[in-house]
Amino acid sequence: MKSETEREKIEQAYREIEKYRDKVEKDYYRLQYHLMPPVGLMNDPNGLIHWNGVYHVFYQWMPFHTGHGAKFWGHYTSCDLIHWKQEKIALAPSEWYDKDGCYSGSAIDHDGVLTLFYTGNVKDEHGNRQTYQCMAVSKNGIDFEKKGVVVTLPDGYTAHFRDPKVWKKGDKWYMIVGAQSESLDGKAVLFRSQNLRDWEHLGPITGGNSRQLGKFGYMWECPDLFELDGQEVLIVCPQGLEAEAMRYQNVHQSGYFVGRLDYETAQFLHGPFAELDRGFEFYAPQTMLDAKGRRILIAWMGVPDQDEDKHPTIAHRWVHALTLPRELKLKDGKLYQTPVEELQMLRKDKIAYSNVTIANEEMILEGISGDVIELNLENICLSGGIMEIAIRNTARIIYHSDERMLTLERKSFANGLTEKRQCRLERLHSLHMFLDTSSMEVFVNKGEEVFTARFFPYKHNQTISFAANGHLVFDIQKWSL
């Protein structure tokens, strides 16, 4: 049963949804096929799980304004990853151990019970923080009952200790938590349990100021450890990395290590850190394993502290969204991300051209335009020079074949100036793009690289043009979505 305080908080949130429903829904920049908050601010996806044939996506949510604060857990469900239903609010900040926020966490199936683990955030009148790892349960996947604290802060860490991800290995449960050590280094910390209530602290499996990494961020958020294609992958969001040429250009980063966890010694032996997404808005990714055996990733289409107060949607009382679901594959030690195949169900009104040839000119292809579309360029062959795709006069994708460099440019929604994100790319042979009024996700070379970004074009400019300084040939398909 929910406490009286939790019921009151949830009722307040529903009143906020009704109060601003018309204002939110009238915003042109509202997305058409991505998950968004009904009002207020959305950030980290939480509790991703495929349970009893249903995909569950919970998310961090501040219903009362478009800034951060005492977060709730919102909740969406789907049977096909395409059609989503907004469910009852799952968690609200109400108890002594989570009164200042039900922070990020994960979900498992425990003997048929959908079980959530999350971080309870508590602050005193001076702003001093305490954190607790907490549990909540549901028999129907919709109504959740809090069970209280299962892990308190162990010695050696600051109160920046959060985002538990739980899984089972053999007959034991494991929990990994993002942490900051007392020496202000980011860590990924492992726990073990037989019963989900009593947890043994095994220590950090890897982290900053280690022999493997050296100084590598002052805090690690949103860890996620899973097996994929015969190896183990640790996804994590290190804060405090210095920019290095084209790497680490956002305020905070999201990436992964590939290696092997020794469950006896609690040590993760791994290779170098690699960024998951090269774009402007991508953070707090989490994965789930579905009944088809796919490892599916969804992330927050945003970054903490990155011009959040400048988003045009704030005028309509909402901000941020989640990425499309992406299937992960591991090839030669590198994660590839591809949009889940179910997204093809959205397609309509196909237009296709083969052997489009552009030589030292700019071209507009009839019917290749729009604001809610999917574009797929294949068999790209650029014989020297530069290829450019201009999208709605607000973003450009540029490939420089001599420099082997791919660039995404956009007009900043903060100040209107041009900004860019880049990566090295030996050869460009395909671009698969999803445009959705104010977002773009670009899958390069069948998921070898991905660029995710928000952008805010003028409503009536839906033009897409192609240009080449050199000789360019490609096939293209376009669908309305």
Side-chain angles (χ1 to χ4, degrees):
M1 295 289 291
K2 293 187 181 299
S3 70
E4 183 175 351
T5 303
E6 188 173 17
R7 288 196 299 270
E8 290 174 354
K9 292 263 188 176
I10 289 172
E11 288 171 2
Q12 290 172 8
Y14 284 136
R15 287 196 293 270
E16 201 75 5
I17 293 173
E18 290 306 314
K19 181 178 179 181
Y20 290 103
R21 185 183 300 277
D22 288 345
K23 190 178 188 70
V24 169
E25 292 181 354
K26 287 178 180 177
D27 186 8
Y28 163 71
Y29 293 123
R30 214 52 190 156
L31 300 170
Q32 300 301 306
Y33 56 93
H34 286 78
L35 293 179
M36 301 169 291
V39 70
L41 177 142
M42 166 190 275
N43 58 310
D44 305 5
N46 297 155
L48 271 58
I49 190 170
H50 192 210
W51 186 75
N52 289 351
V54 176
Y55 294 95
H56 293 257
V57 174
F58 303 85
Y59 60 92
Q60 291 284 276
W61 180 40
M62 167 43 67
F64 304 118
H65 51 79
T66 53
H68 294 275
K71 300 291 178 61
F72 291 61
W73 273 37
H75 186 193
Y76 282 106
T77 61
S78 174
C79 292
D80 59 10
L81 294 172
I82 298 297
H83 304 94
W84 294 91
K85 179 184 178 183
Q86 182 179 303
E87 300 289 1
K88 295 179 182 178
I89 295 167
L91 300 173
S94 60
E95 312 307 315
W96 66 265
Y97 49 81
D98 65 10
K99 69 181 184 66
D100 294 301
C102 297
Y103 279 13
S104 294
S106 58
I108 61 166
D109 180 343
H110 181 224
D111 296 333
V113 176
L114 183 54
T115 304
L116 307 182
F117 293 88
Y118 68 99
T119 299
N121 186 50
V122 178
K123 292 182 179 178
D124 65 19
E125 63 273 18
H126 304 294
N128 298 312
R129 183 194 302 265
Q130 293 180 325
T131 50
Y132 306 93
Q133 310 316 311
C134 310
M135 184 169 71
V137 299
S138 173
K139 292 183 178 180
N140 63 6
I142 303 299
D143 301 291
F144 288 88
E145 179 183 357
K146 293 179 181 177
K147 294 297 184 180
V149 177
V150 295
V151 174
T152 56
L153 183 67
D155 293 338
Y157 307 97
T158 75
H160 290 286
F161 195 89
R162 53 183 174 265
D163 312 335
K165 180 68 187 287
V166 176
W167 72 98
K168 196 170 192 179
K169 177 77 171 178
D171 62 350
K172 295 182 176 63
W173 293 98
Y174 291 86
M175 173 193 293
I176 195 163
V177 180
Q180 180 184 70
S181 71
E182 289 180 340
S183 57
L184 306 185
D185 297 301
K187 304 285 185 184
V189 181
L190 190 66
F191 293 81
R192 180 171 58 203
S193 176
Q194 295 275 14
N195 59 14
L196 297 178
R197 285 190 169 274
D198 303 302
W199 291 89
E200 176 189 3
H201 173 221
L202 301 179
I205 62 169
T206 188
N209 204 22
S210 67
R211 185 164 53 186
Q212 278 187 279
L213 289 173
K215 183 71 176 177
F216 203 77
Y218 60 78
M219 171 64 192
W220 284 15
E221 291 193 308
C222 305
D224 187 354
L225 184 74
F226 53 89
E227 295 183 3
L228 184 65
D229 298 326
Q231 293 184 273
E232 284 167 314
V233 178
L234 172 64
I235 289 177
V236 71
C237 296
Q239 299 183 329
L241 300 186
E242 296 293 331
E244 299 176 3
M246 291 178 287
R247 303 176 73 199
Y248 313 149
Q249 290 296 311
N250 291 330
V251 178
H252 303 303
Q253 319 310 321
S254 300
Y256 65 95
F257 302 96
V258 178
R260 176 61 61 190
L261 176 63
D262 187 325
Y263 280 83
E264 295 305 315
T265 64
Q267 293 298 304
F268 184 59
L269 300 177
H270 58 77
F273 181 78
E275 290 181 273
L276 270 164
D277 193 288
R278 303 291 187 165
F280 295 91
E281 278 87 25
F282 182 94
Y283 196 74
Q286 189 175 113
T287 72
M288 60 179 158
L289 188 68
D290 76 354
K292 298 178 181 180
R294 298 179 297 180
R295 179 61 58 172
I296 295 173
L297 177 148
I298 297 175
W300 173 30
M301 203 185 296
V303 175
D305 309 319
Q306 186 164 293
D307 298 321
E308 288 188 310
D309 59 340
K310 302 294 196 305
H311 275 258
T313 66
I314 285 175
H316 287 264
R317 198 73 181 191
W318 74 279
V319 67
H320 297 314
L322 300 184
T323 68
L324 294 174
R326 306 171 180 183
E327 183 178 358
L328 299 183
K329 298 281 189 180
L330 193 60
K331 302 178 183 178
D332 299 322
K334 181 178 178 61
L335 276 182
Y336 280 65
Q337 305 171 64
T338 54
V340 294
E341 62 181 1
E342 286 89 341
L343 290 165
Q344 297 175 20
M345 295 164 55
L346 294 173
R347 292 172 174 174
K348 57 186 178 182
D349 303 327
K350 179 181 178 180
I351 297 174
Y353 295 94
S354 298
N355 294 311
V356 177
T357 302
I358 302 175
N360 298 311
E361 61 181 325
E362 183 179 17
M363 180 181 294
I364 293 175
L365 299 172
E366 185 177 354
I368 306 296
S369 62
D371 57 355
V372 185
I373 64 173
E374 178 186 354
L375 281 180
N376 189 29
L377 281 73
E378 294 187 315
N379 303 316
I380 297 171
C381 181
L382 178 62
S383 301
I386 301 171
M387 169 187 178
E388 177 182 322
I389 305 172
I391 302 170
R392 304 185 64 196
N393 199 38
T394 307
R396 292 195 306 164
I397 298 169
I398 305 163
Y399 181 63
H400 198 300
S401 63
D402 295 336
E403 297 182 4
R404 306 289 194 267
M405 184 181 297
L406 186 66
T407 301
L408 172 63
E409 288 185 353
R410 73 171 178 191
K411 290 182 181 178
S412 167
F413 53 78
N415 56 27
L417 301 177
T418 298
E419 53 187 351
K420 64 184 178 182
R421 295 289 185 268
Q422 298 177 295
C423 73
R424 294 284 178 191
L425 194 69
E426 190 62 29
R427 178 176 172 267
L428 176 64
H429 56 76
S430 69
L431 287 169
H432 192 183
M433 292 180 272
F434 289 80
L435 307 182
D436 190 358
T437 60
S438 62
S439 76
M440 59 191 307
E441 291 170 74
V442 184
F443 298 86
V444 183
N445 291 352
K446 308 296 185 184
E448 177 184 350
E449 301 286 357
V450 188
F451 288 77
T452 300
R454 299 298 302 278
F455 74 134
F456 298 91
Y458 292 117
K459 179 178 180 179
H460 298 295
N461 188 333
Q462 301 187 8
T463 303
I464 298 172
S465 65
F466 305 85
N469 176 8
H471 189 269
L472 171 66
V473 180
F474 60 87
D475 301 330
I476 186 169
Q477 300 169 308
K478 174 251 177 175
W479 296 269
S480 300
L481 300 179

PDB file of all heavy atoms in Angstrom, residues 385 399-406 422-425:
ATOM      1  N   GLY A 385      36.845  14.480 -52.153  1.00  0.00           N
ATOM      2  CA  GLY A 385      36.063  15.667 -51.846  1.00  0.00           C
ATOM      3  C   GLY A 385      35.166  15.516 -50.630  1.00  0.00           C
ATOM      4  O   GLY A 385      35.446  14.743 -49.708  1.00  0.00           O
ATOM      5  N   TYR A 399      30.679  14.738 -44.684  1.00  0.00           N
ATOM      6  CA  TYR A 399      31.765  13.758 -44.672  1.00  0.00           C
ATOM      7  C   TYR A 399      32.884  14.236 -45.578  1.00  0.00           C
ATOM      8  O   TYR A 399      32.665  14.508 -46.765  1.00  0.00           O
ATOM      9  CB  TYR A 399      31.293  12.376 -45.124  1.00  0.00           C
ATOM     10  CG  TYR A 399      32.420  11.362 -45.077  1.00  0.00           C
ATOM     11  CD1 TYR A 399      33.031  11.034 -43.865  1.00  0.00           C
ATOM     12  CD2 TYR A 399      32.899  10.754 -46.231  1.00  0.00           C
ATOM     13  CE1 TYR A 399      34.078  10.121 -43.803  1.00  0.00           C
ATOM     14  CE2 TYR A 399      33.938   9.840 -46.186  1.00  0.00           C
ATOM     15  CZ  TYR A 399      34.526   9.537 -44.969  1.00  0.00           C
ATOM     16  OH  TYR A 399      35.572   8.647 -44.908  1.00  0.00           O
ATOM     17  N   HIS A 400      34.080  14.353 -45.005  1.00  0.00           N
ATOM     18  CA  HIS A 400      35.274  14.780 -45.716  1.00  0.00           C
ATOM     19  C   HIS A 400      36.106  13.543 -45.989  1.00  0.00           C
ATOM     20  O   HIS A 400      36.729  12.988 -45.084  1.00  0.00           O
ATOM     21  CB  HIS A 400      36.053  15.789 -44.873  1.00  0.00           C
ATOM     22  CG  HIS A 400      37.050  16.597 -45.641  1.00  0.00           C
ATOM     23  ND1 HIS A 400      38.097  16.019 -46.331  1.00  0.00           N
ATOM     24  CD2 HIS A 400      37.166  17.937 -45.837  1.00  0.00           C
ATOM     25  CE1 HIS A 400      38.808  16.958 -46.902  1.00  0.00           C
ATOM     26  NE2 HIS A 400      38.268  18.134 -46.625  1.00  0.00           N
ATOM     27  N   SER A 401      36.102  13.101 -47.249  1.00  0.00           N
ATOM     28  CA  SER A 401      36.726  11.809 -47.551  1.00  0.00           C
ATOM     29  C   SER A 401      38.244  11.838 -47.386  1.00  0.00           C
ATOM     30  O   SER A 401      38.842  10.827 -46.986  1.00  0.00           O
ATOM     31  CB  SER A 401      36.370  11.379 -48.983  1.00  0.00           C
ATOM     32  OG  SER A 401      36.876  12.300 -49.928  1.00  0.00           O
ATOM     33  N   ASP A 402      38.887  12.947 -47.689  1.00  0.00           N
ATOM     34  CA  ASP A 402      40.340  13.012 -47.554  1.00  0.00           C
ATOM     35  C   ASP A 402      40.778  12.984 -46.095  1.00  0.00           C
ATOM     36  O   ASP A 402      41.770  12.347 -45.746  1.00  0.00           O
ATOM     37  CB  ASP A 402      40.886  14.271 -48.239  1.00  0.00           C
ATOM     38  CG  ASP A 402      40.676  14.246 -49.751  1.00  0.00           C
ATOM     39  OD1 ASP A 402      40.550  13.128 -50.302  1.00  0.00           O
ATOM     40  OD2 ASP A 402      40.617  15.328 -50.364  1.00  0.00           O
ATOM     41  N   GLU A 403      40.029  13.661 -45.246  1.00  0.00           N
ATOM     42  CA  GLU A 403      40.364  13.700 -43.815  1.00  0.00           C
ATOM     43  C   GLU A 403      39.746  12.548 -43.039  1.00  0.00           C
ATOM     44  O   GLU A 403      40.022  12.388 -41.851  1.00  0.00           O
ATOM     45  CB  GLU A 403      39.919  15.039 -43.209  1.00  0.00           C
ATOM     46  CG  GLU A 403      40.634  16.249 -43.798  1.00  0.00           C
ATOM     47  CD  GLU A 403      40.208  17.543 -43.140  1.00  0.00           C
ATOM     48  OE1 GLU A 403      39.408  17.491 -42.169  1.00  0.00           O
ATOM     49  OE2 GLU A 403      40.671  18.606 -43.586  1.00  0.00           O
ATOM     50  N   ARG A 404      38.895  11.752 -43.718  1.00  0.00           N
ATOM     51  CA  ARG A 404      38.211  10.634 -43.061  1.00  0.00           C
ATOM     52  C   ARG A 404      37.459  11.120 -41.813  1.00  0.00           C
ATOM     53  O   ARG A 404      37.569  10.554 -40.745  1.00  0.00           O
ATOM     54  CB  ARG A 404      39.192   9.523 -42.679  1.00  0.00           C
ATOM     55  CG  ARG A 404      40.045   9.000 -43.829  1.00  0.00           C
ATOM     56  CD  ARG A 404      39.195   8.188 -44.790  1.00  0.00           C
ATOM     57  NE  ARG A 404      40.007   7.412 -45.721  1.00  0.00           N
ATOM     58  CZ  ARG A 404      40.371   7.826 -46.940  1.00  0.00           C
ATOM     59  NH1 ARG A 404      40.022   9.039 -47.355  1.00  0.00           N
ATOM     60  NH2 ARG A 404      41.074   7.055 -47.726  1.00  0.00           N
ATOM     61  N   MET A 405      36.669  12.167 -41.986  1.00  0.00           N
ATOM     62  CA  MET A 405      36.009  12.797 -40.848  1.00  0.00           C
ATOM     63  C   MET A 405      34.532  13.019 -41.139  1.00  0.00           C
ATOM     64  O   MET A 405      34.166  13.551 -42.192  1.00  0.00           O
ATOM     65  CB  MET A 405      36.661  14.137 -40.512  1.00  0.00           C
ATOM     66  CG  MET A 405      36.097  14.804 -39.271  1.00  0.00           C
ATOM     67  SD  MET A 405      36.901  16.391 -38.961  1.00  0.00           S
ATOM     68  CE  MET A 405      38.577  15.859 -38.663  1.00  0.00           C
ATOM     69  N   LEU A 406      33.691  12.597 -40.182  1.00  0.00           N
ATOM     70  CA  LEU A 406      32.252  12.821 -40.265  1.00  0.00           C
ATOM     71  C   LEU A 406      31.861  13.869 -39.233  1.00  0.00           C
ATOM     72  O   LEU A 406      32.266  13.786 -38.070  1.00  0.00           O
ATOM     73  CB  LEU A 406      31.490  11.520 -40.004  1.00  0.00           C
ATOM     74  CG  LEU A 406      29.972  11.571 -40.192  1.00  0.00           C
ATOM     75  CD1 LEU A 406      29.612  11.814 -41.652  1.00  0.00           C
ATOM     76  CD2 LEU A 406      29.321  10.275 -39.706  1.00  0.00           C
ATOM     77  N   GLN A 422      32.056  15.522 -34.009  1.00  0.00           N
ATOM     78  CA  GLN A 422      32.763  14.841 -35.078  1.00  0.00           C
ATOM     79  C   GLN A 422      33.293  13.485 -34.636  1.00  0.00           C
ATOM     80  O   GLN A 422      33.429  13.220 -33.442  1.00  0.00           O
ATOM     81  CB  GLN A 422      33.956  15.696 -35.544  1.00  0.00           C
ATOM     82  CG  GLN A 422      33.573  17.043 -36.119  1.00  0.00           C
ATOM     83  CD  GLN A 422      34.799  17.871 -36.485  1.00  0.00           C
ATOM     84  OE1 GLN A 422      35.572  18.256 -35.613  1.00  0.00           O
ATOM     85  NE2 GLN A 422      34.972  18.122 -37.774  1.00  0.00           N
ATOM     86  N   CYS A 423      33.622  12.663 -35.623  1.00  0.00           N
ATOM     87  CA  CYS A 423      34.367  11.428 -35.365  1.00  0.00           C
ATOM     88  C   CYS A 423      35.150  11.043 -36.607  1.00  0.00           C
ATOM     89  O   CYS A 423      34.808  11.445 -37.724  1.00  0.00           O
ATOM     90  CB  CYS A 423      33.435  10.291 -34.943  1.00  0.00           C
ATOM     91  SG  CYS A 423      32.432   9.610 -36.287  1.00  0.00           S
ATOM     92  N   ARG A 424      36.207  10.287 -36.395  1.00  0.00           N
ATOM     93  CA  ARG A 424      36.953   9.723 -37.508  1.00  0.00           C
ATOM     94  C   ARG A 424      36.169   8.555 -38.090  1.00  0.00           C
ATOM     95  O   ARG A 424      35.605   7.749 -37.360  1.00  0.00           O
ATOM     96  CB  ARG A 424      38.325   9.239 -37.042  1.00  0.00           C
ATOM     97  CG  ARG A 424      39.248  10.335 -36.568  1.00  0.00           C
ATOM     98  CD  ARG A 424      39.820  11.115 -37.713  1.00  0.00           C
ATOM     99  NE  ARG A 424      40.686  12.198 -37.247  1.00  0.00           N
ATOM    100  CZ  ARG A 424      41.144  13.163 -38.009  1.00  0.00           C
ATOM    101  NH1 ARG A 424      40.811  13.186 -39.304  1.00  0.00           N
ATOM    102  NH2 ARG A 424      41.913  14.112 -37.517  1.00  0.00           N
ATOM    103  N   LEU A 425      36.166   8.444 -39.409  1.00  0.00           N
ATOM    104  CA  LEU A 425      35.446   7.375 -40.077  1.00  0.00           C
ATOM    105  C   LEU A 425      36.218   7.021 -41.338  1.00  0.00           C
ATOM    106  O   LEU A 425      36.337   7.836 -42.257  1.00  0.00           O
ATOM    107  CB  LEU A 425      34.028   7.819 -40.423  1.00  0.00           C
ATOM    108  CG  LEU A 425      33.049   6.729 -40.834  1.00  0.00           C
ATOM    109  CD1 LEU A 425      32.721   5.838 -39.646  1.00  0.00           C
ATOM    110  CD2 LEU A 425      31.779   7.344 -41.407  1.00  0.00           C
TER     111      LEU A 425
END
